[in-house]
Amino acid sequence: MEHVSVLIVGAGPAGLAVAACLTHLSIPYVIVEREDCSASLWRNRAYDRLKLHLAKEFCELPHMSYPADAPTYIPKAMFVKYLDAYTMCFNIQPKYLTCVESSTYDNDKKCWSIVARDMAEGTTINFIAKFLVVASGENSAENIPVIPGLDSFPGEAIHSSRYKSGKSFFGKSVLVIGSGNSGMEIAYDLATHGANTSIVIRSPIHVMTKEVIRLGMTLAHHLPLNLVDNLLVMAAKFIFGDLSRHGITMPKMGPMILKTKTGRSAVIDVGTVGLIKQGVIQVKGSISKIVGNIVNFQSGDEILFDAIVFATGYKSTANMWLKFSHSTTHILNL
């Protein structure tokens, strides 16, 4: 039995930031991570061309700035290097390959009882913690939607976490399912590497440039969000024009308020919209079924594809092991 003041679950950027802040305050903690490295999403499950979509001033971790010569939008490799330097600076030592299996809060003793497994040794570790920080995020398990006939598809069907580059898809017909930032950027990457690219866009989305979002996040410190949203929407319409003609509609709620209320982010355009307007990338609606390598869309279109990339996000696995009552206050979910 290991008694700790704070147990942090997850050694991604959020978990590392909490660990650094606790170190700064001389509060002891233990941090556990089920993978064999920190920030595994960034190291192992991110495509090659990825950069932080927000300007660096909005993406620094506490108590440590980026190098003075860092670009405004940090590339993946530089961000991982920054996280490694951050880990060393604050002497953060995660217990890797440690998977939490259950946690319960004792209202009488005012503490958490956590059962974890050392996956390398195959042994069980029991923690007693006053505070529990869940920093495993929402990007834990791949989310693949249920599509009738998907199991009959003979081509390559992968989640975006396994997509690295469009080089291997040259000359192939590829369907990207999902129109968030990953889906739109992967579609661009595929098209610029010579793939015949289509993307499924079912829901309204805000499309912005990175400069417009940077402006909005700056103004949000000084102006009401609804006013900021009005300015951002006007800027987007001026830059991109009416995208509804190309299958992209805009939500009724503004981008900043939408993010605040639902967690849904605006799409930061990397050039995808231009290729859609040129007809290089085709926009498709909802899928009705898949028959072999033919995808049937609700519009009636039937199109042959060689590969499918699911940019359909992730789902958190914390609810599988996290048990607490509504009266529990000693938990922080990041």
Side-chain angles (χ1 to χ4, degrees), residues 222-301:
H222 308 285
L223 298 173
L225 283 188
N226 62 333
L227 179 56
V228 175
D229 275 346
N230 290 338
L231 294 172
L232 297 189
V233 168
M234 283 193 295
K237 288 180 177 178
F238 177 78
I239 293 167
F240 297 110
D242 181 11
L243 295 179
S244 62
R245 295 177 297 166
H246 305 282
I248 302 174
T249 58
M250 188 176 289
K252 293 180 180 178
M253 201 178 295
M256 302 293 282
I257 292 177
L258 186 68
K259 175 66 175 177
T260 301
K261 291 190 173 182
T262 70
R264 289 172 52 198
S265 299
V267 171
I268 312 298
D269 182 54
V270 296
T272 313
V273 170
L275 296 185
I276 289 173
K277 287 181 174 181
Q278 295 170 30
V280 176
I281 297 174
Q282 302 295 317
V283 173
K284 298 299 176 184
S286 297
I287 297 170
S288 56
K289 63 180 178 178
I290 297 175
V291 181
N293 56 4
I294 303 294
V295 177
N296 293 266
F297 295 91
Q298 290 183 5
S299 63
D301 291 343

Side-chain angles (χ1 to χ4, degrees), residues 32-257:
V32 297
E33 166 59 52
R34 69 178 183 177
E35 303 293 339
D36 61 359
C37 62
S38 62
S40 63
L41 177 66
W42 287 90
R43 294 179 199 276
N44 305 325
R45 294 188 283 163
Y47 43 93
D48 293 343
R49 61 167 289 118
L50 179 64
K51 295 182 180 180
L52 292 179
H53 291 122
L54 301 180
K56 61 184 179 182
E57 64 263 30
F58 300 112
C59 300
E60 289 181 343
L61 299 190
H63 308 300
M64 182 172 161
S65 299
Y66 289 107
D69 59 350
T72 302
Y73 298 92
I74 307 294
K76 177 182 78 168
M78 181 176 288
F79 187 57
V80 170
K81 186 176 180 181
Y82 168 76
L83 293 177
D84 286 341
Y86 192 84
T87 301
M88 290 184 62
C89 177
F90 295 99
N91 193 30
I92 303 170
Q93 300 180 27
K95 293 180 179 290
Y96 294 119
L97 295 173
T98 302
C99 179
V100 174
E101 296 184 334
S102 68
S103 64
T104 54
Y105 187 73
D106 189 322
N107 275 308
D108 295 327
K109 296 181 180 179
K110 305 299 180 186
C111 65
W112 286 90
S113 177
I114 301 109
V115 178
R117 177 162 295 276
D118 183 325
M119 293 186 288
E121 300 293 331
T123 55
T124 298
I125 309 171
N126 294 288
F127 294 99
I128 298 295
K130 185 176 181 181
F131 296 96
L132 175 63
V133 179
V134 181
S136 50
E138 296 297 319
N139 298 334
S140 297
E142 299 173 358
N143 180 43
I144 302 290
V146 176
I147 301 175
L150 176 59
D151 56 351
S152 73
F153 184 72
E156 185 176 6
I158 62 171
H159 188 267
S160 58
S161 61
R162 292 190 283 137
Y163 177 91
K164 296 299 180 185
S165 168
K167 293 178 182 178
S168 60
F169 294 95
F170 175 82
K172 295 183 179 181
S173 293
V174 185
L175 177 64
V176 179
I177 299 177
S179 55
N181 277 296
S182 293
M184 294 287 269
E185 187 160 2
I186 287 171
Y188 176 85
D189 189 58
L190 285 164
T192 55
H193 279 99
N196 300 313
T197 308
S198 298
I199 184 169
V200 171
I201 301 180
R202 298 183 306 161
S203 304
I205 54 174
H206 283 292
V207 181
M208 303 278 158
T209 66
K210 58 188 179 183
E211 292 82 10
V212 169
I213 286 295
R214 186 183 188 187
L215 174 64
M217 293 187 70
T218 302
L219 291 177
H221 292 291
H222 308 285
L223 298 173
L225 283 188
N226 62 333
L227 179 56
V228 175
D229 275 346
N230 290 338
L231 294 172
L232 297 189
V233 168
M234 283 193 295
K237 288 180 177 178
F238 177 78
I239 293 167
F240 297 110
D242 181 11
L243 295 179
S244 62
R245 295 177 297 166
H246 305 282
I248 302 174
T249 58
M250 188 176 289
K252 293 180 180 178
M253 201 178 295
M256 302 293 282
I257 292 177

